[in-house]
Amino acid sequence: MNRKIGVRLVKCLVAGAALAVLLPQAVEWGSNVYAASTKPAPSVSSQQLQNKLLQAMATRSETLTFTYQGRVNGLKQQLQTAIQQAMESDPYVNYTIKSYAFSYTGTTTSAQVTIRLSYRETKEQTAYVDSTVKAVLGDIITKGMTDHEKVKAIHDWIVVRLKYDEAQQKYTAYDGLKTGSTVCQGYSLLAYKMLERAGITNRIVEGRAGGQLHAWNLVLLDGRWYHMDTTWDDPTPDRANEVSTSYYLLTDTEMRRDHSWVKPYPQANTSYRETLSALVATGGSKAAVYQKLYNTLEYPLQDGKGLVKTSADIKEQVRKIVNKGGTTLTFAYQGTERSLKEDLQSLYQLGLKSISYQITDLGSTGNLRVTLKWT
């Protein structure tokens, strides 16, 4: 009996060059205070600095030069803070900057400052991402869709179209769209762009998973935040048109089973299964839409109905599928993997030649989600 592992651990960002993706390298290459000997550029105040930085980053300018007017004492920290604030105000730019460095010379009351920036994605490449995202959303988002449907459509499109870059050489949304593969950084950047353009507020989360640095998204729906990890919902090795929802709109508690983060992010403390259940119960014109989504996410498996407990239960369900010509079955199982393997032995009595299974934890129920395949 062939066994397929259900828990999917992937490496996303590792030490070295990849680390610079989440944490852009900062280098101060010089700072001297003396009487300025060169003609100064137009002066700016500290209040204007962040706006100038944002404009430079948005256009992917590599050099920004200006004269700072004010007390130079403490300018180094001001520059560092302004650069960090500018990057953090635009998540997409923040995670596409490769490195930055700054230098300044001048007197005690003014200084000529030069900031140099390098990027993992050029202005033209970002424009390609924007135009592609616009076209894709035009295809997958239809009139009358709820935000819940939009998020699911975007999640599935990314998982189907991308595959994880095992070589860990591609880090951007552009890489993912242009070549079809990228690491988690690219997955989360593309999700950010698509969700944002669809009118869905979201954040990029940086943390760790599977023992590696990792990135995913926080999504805001109806005033509540949920975690969404498109990378870990994409089977590895890649399987065409196969989409997992094991990491789709989870709470902090659910996500912390194998993900961790230190930075402060909005709390995700509402079960999405309960959210959809409440929307279905409310009724209205969209009740059927929410019920379909509830079923698609296999939430009925967590409701306890049809819970499989014995080998006889499994055998009977498989028999029904076989009689219809089917070759796969997904069900909720009460027991351990060891007991499951024992219970599956009875299936060979049905004349099946090869049986494989995939298991994952079924939310907080303590049961297993089992997918069987046979020939």
Side-chain angles (χ1 to χ4, degrees):
M1 180 164 54
N2 299 323
R3 177 173 180 265
K4 290 187 177 180
I5 305 299
V7 179
R8 182 174 178 276
L9 300 180
V10 298
K11 294 188 294 183
C12 268
L13 297 175
V14 295
L19 183 60
V21 180
L22 288 180
L23 304 173
Q25 183 180 5
V27 180
E28 180 199 359
W29 78 78
S31 59
N32 296 296
V33 178
Y34 54 84
S37 59
T38 58
K39 183 178 180 180
S43 63
V44 298
S45 66
S46 57
Q47 290 77 17
Q48 296 171 304
L49 178 53
Q50 187 172 333
N51 289 336
K52 290 183 71 69
L53 282 164
L54 277 172
Q55 183 179 5
M57 292 173 180
T59 58
R60 300 299 188 271
S61 298
E62 296 183 351
T63 303
L64 176 63
T65 301
F66 57 90
T67 296
Y68 173 83
Q69 297 287 2
R71 295 181 60 186
V72 176
N73 183 29
L75 178 57
K76 174 182 176 181
Q77 184 58 50
Q78 290 184 53
L79 289 170
Q80 183 76 46
T81 300
I83 293 171
Q84 284 297 129
Q85 290 177 343
M87 290 193 301
E88 291 173 2
S89 68
D90 187 333
Y92 193 85
V93 169
N94 186 23
Y95 291 98
T96 54
I97 289 179
K98 184 177 181 180
S99 66
Y100 63 86
F102 57 84
S103 171
Y104 57 90
T105 60
T107 67
T108 57
T109 58
S110 69
Q112 185 166 347
V113 181
T114 299
I115 299 175
R116 293 181 181 172
L117 302 157
S118 66
Y119 308 89
R120 290 196 179 275
E121 192 173 272
T122 67
K123 179 181 177 181
E124 291 73 22
Q125 289 173 339
T126 300
Y128 174 86
V129 172
D130 289 336
S131 62
T132 303
V133 164
K134 180 180 179 181
V136 169
L137 291 179
D139 290 334
I140 67 175
I141 304 298
T142 59
K143 185 177 180 180
M145 265 190 174
T146 65
D147 285 348
H148 296 261
E149 292 175 285
K150 292 175 184 178
V151 173
K152 184 63 165 59
I154 290 170
H155 168 275
D156 292 0
W157 191 91
I158 291 173
V159 171
V160 168
R161 296 305 176 96
L162 299 187
K163 64 180 179 180
Y164 186 74
D165 175 29
E166 298 287 354
Q168 298 185 350
Q169 298 298 313
K170 304 171 185 177
Y171 307 104
T172 67
Y174 173 81
D175 288 329
L177 291 175
K178 194 68 175 179
T179 71
S181 67
T182 184
V183 297
C184 58
Q185 184 78 13
Y187 277 80
S188 57
L189 281 167
L190 181 55
Y192 176 85
K193 272 283 188 183
M194 294 183 73
L195 290 167
E196 181 187 45
R197 187 169 184 88
I200 310 296
T201 299
N202 73 105
R203 301 273 302 270
I204 295 176
V205 181
E206 59 182 76
R208 302 187 71 86
Q212 301 291 332
L213 292 172
H214 189 49
W216 63 95
N217 299 84
L218 267 171
V219 181
L220 183 64
L221 275 174
D222 297 339
R224 299 183 178 93
W225 289 95
Y226 305 91
H227 293 271
M228 186 179 80
D229 191 340
T230 50
T231 308
W232 275 40
D233 273 344
D234 194 0
T236 298
D238 190 66
R239 295 192 286 274
N241 298 316
E242 188 167 328
V243 177
S244 170
T245 55
S246 296
Y247 296 89
Y248 183 77
L249 302 189
L250 303 185
T251 64
D252 287 342
T253 300
E254 292 169 331
M255 203 67 174
R256 286 191 187 278
R257 291 193 300 247
D258 44 31
H259 288 57
S260 63
W261 57 96
V262 176
K263 288 188 176 183
Y265 294 104
Q267 291 186 343
N269 49 26
T270 302
S271 163
Y272 190 58
R273 179 169 68 94
E274 293 177 1
T275 294
L276 283 180
S277 181
L279 288 170
V280 171
T282 300
S285 61
K286 293 294 183 179
V289 169
Y290 295 128
Q291 182 64 63
K292 181 180 179 181
L293 187 53
Y294 190 91
N295 295 339
T296 298
L297 294 172
E298 297 182 338
Y299 287 149
L301 293 179
Q302 299 184 37
D303 294 339
K305 299 177 182 178
L307 183 64
V308 172
K309 302 178 182 180
T310 67
S311 60
D313 292 338
I314 298 175
K315 190 175 180 180
E316 180 58 28
Q317 289 202 30
V318 170
R319 189 197 309 275
K320 292 178 181 178
I321 299 297
V322 169
N323 289 340
K324 295 179 182 179
T327 59
T328 183
L329 170 67
T330 298
F331 57 91
Y333 178 77
Q334 185 180 68
T336 65
E337 182 179 0
R338 181 176 179 178
S339 64
L340 173 67
K341 291 172 69 174
E342 294 175 353
D343 289 342
L344 293 179
Q345 296 301 317
S346 65
L347 296 182
Y348 289 106
Q349 298 172 10
L350 299 177
L352 305 183
K353 302 298 183 182
S354 175
I355 303 171
S356 64
Y357 69 87
Q358 180 181 5
I359 61 171
T360 54
D361 291 331
L362 194 53
S364 58
T365 64
N367 300 320
L368 296 176
R369 174 191 180 277
V370 181
T371 296
L372 292 180
K373 294 184 179 180
W374 60 81
T375 58

